[in-house]
Amino acid sequence: MPHACILDLDGTLANTLASIASVSNRVLAHYGLSPQPVDAFRYFAGDGGRVLLERCFEASGGNPGLLDEAERLFRQWFAERPLEGTTHYEGLPEALHALKDRGFHLAVCTNKPHAAAVKTVEGLFGPDLFDAVQGQVPEIPRKPAPDSALLLARRMGVEPGDCLYVGDTNTDMETGRAAGMYTIGVLWGFRDRAELEAHHAQWIVARPAQLLEAADRMAAGEL
């Protein structure tokens, strides 16, 4: 029976906080709005580019009528240099390769625009580690809707109940639960334990290597 591990990107696979802040503040500057501190993007990010910009505009006093154009600029500028200021978290490549050695399929499910998501994943991890990457596209509802996670499971030929869903935010825990997957919250990302517990993470890990314990228990039928 095949198993899979589906992971969020921003704050789970990669520390993208600086890149998200850089592009967002570039958009704000384009409209003469004040930049936002990098740490604020821990809470602005996670629900897609449109919501991110809505939060930025609200914090900066921007005109909501400009959001359509701002979103187009955000997607364009992000796609141009998605890896700028971005690194993977320590220990993740080793853990992911160990998951593959255990026979797990791997996929990425993110609200980052799809083109930027693919470039980021392939730039950090190479083109062959993940079976599939699904970023935000207009025809698929964004997380926490389960559509993208379920689509990835179908592509990999894995039942939702045989998938680990790994992320760092409330949005990720809600996505995994809605998809009928086993949810794992990570503590190295953008949010904290309290948020993950409040949104019913079934397991919380502090180090990437701990994902292997969950994988072994799922493969043994213990989850």
Side-chain angles (χ1 to χ4, degrees), residues 88-96 208-209:
H88 62 66
Y89 289 102
E90 183 178 358
L92 261 173
E94 295 83 357
L96 294 170

Side-chain angles (χ1 to χ4, degrees), residues 9-22 38 41 45 78 82-89 112 120 124 190:
L9 178 53
D10 299 310
T12 301
L13 282 173
N15 187 349
T16 58
L17 199 62
S19 65
I20 291 171
S22 176
V38 172
F41 289 89
F78 225 133
L83 288 171
E84 185 175 20
T86 294
T87 60
H88 62 66
Y89 289 102
K112 185 186 286 294
T120 301
L124 292 176
F190 294 171

